[in-house]
Amino acid sequence: MQTNESSENYLETILILSKTLPVVRSVDVAEEMGFKKSSVSVAMKHLRERNHITVTKEGFIYLTEEGKKIAEMIYERHEMLSDWLVRLGVSKEVADRDACKMEHVISKESFEAIKGQIK
């Protein structure tokens, strides 16, 4: 389940979009992330090659089981870290921005320790 920060961000974005849209397309990902469609197309190719997504002939993007597992892990980290920072008095905007960075580098051990203290 080796991924990099960029891949994790794409997978997380696909997961989030899939909660509100009937189908997710590259154009939706590009719009959400503020990237050019050409950049997103290259990223989708890499995610397909790693078996993290499937793309239908109509261009609909779906997370594979492995891709969904990664996306949900990153999303959980983001939500929990952001919420924790807000509880500590950090503004929502700064907490979201910081959580987006922290979610990729925090160890599983440290995250689980924080999670245990928060709940």
Side-chain angles (χ1 to χ4, degrees):
M1 201 165 69
Q2 188 73 9
T3 57
N4 60 36
E5 182 176 335
S6 176
S7 294
E8 290 173 352
N9 282 333
Y10 278 107
L11 294 171
E12 181 183 25
T13 298
I14 294 166
L15 176 70
I16 292 167
L17 289 172
S18 71
K19 293 175 185 275
T20 58
L21 298 175
V23 292
V24 178
R25 301 164 299 145
S26 287
V27 68
D28 302 316
V29 175
E31 186 176 301
E32 180 69 20
M33 297 181 82
F35 296 159
K36 292 181 183 176
K37 188 170 179 322
S38 59
S39 298
V40 172
S41 293
V42 170
M44 294 304 108
K45 178 180 182 270
H46 292 300
L47 291 174
R48 254 192 343 269
E49 289 170 351
R50 292 185 182 111
N51 195 35
H52 291 153
I53 64 167
T54 58
V55 182
T56 67
K57 64 182 179 178
E58 295 85 7
F60 303 154
I61 302 167
Y62 297 96
L63 295 168
T64 63
E65 282 303 312
E66 185 175 351
K68 188 173 184 179
K69 204 163 150 180
I70 295 166
E72 287 175 341
M73 175 194 68
I74 295 300
Y75 184 68
E76 177 191 27
R77 286 178 175 199
H78 181 94
E79 291 295 295
M80 192 156 294
L81 291 168
S82 178
D83 183 56
W84 178 55
L85 291 169
V86 167
R87 287 190 210 177
L88 293 174
V90 177
S91 72
K92 178 73 173 139
E93 181 182 296
V94 172
D96 275 338
R97 191 172 55 242
D98 288 348
C100 196
K101 295 173 190 166
M102 295 166 64
E103 68 196 23
H104 303 287
V105 296
I106 192 169
S107 70
K108 181 178 171 78
E109 181 181 353
S110 293
F111 179 71
E112 290 300 322
I114 291 170
K115 186 175 166 180
Q117 291 295 309
I118 293 173
K119 287 191 171 188

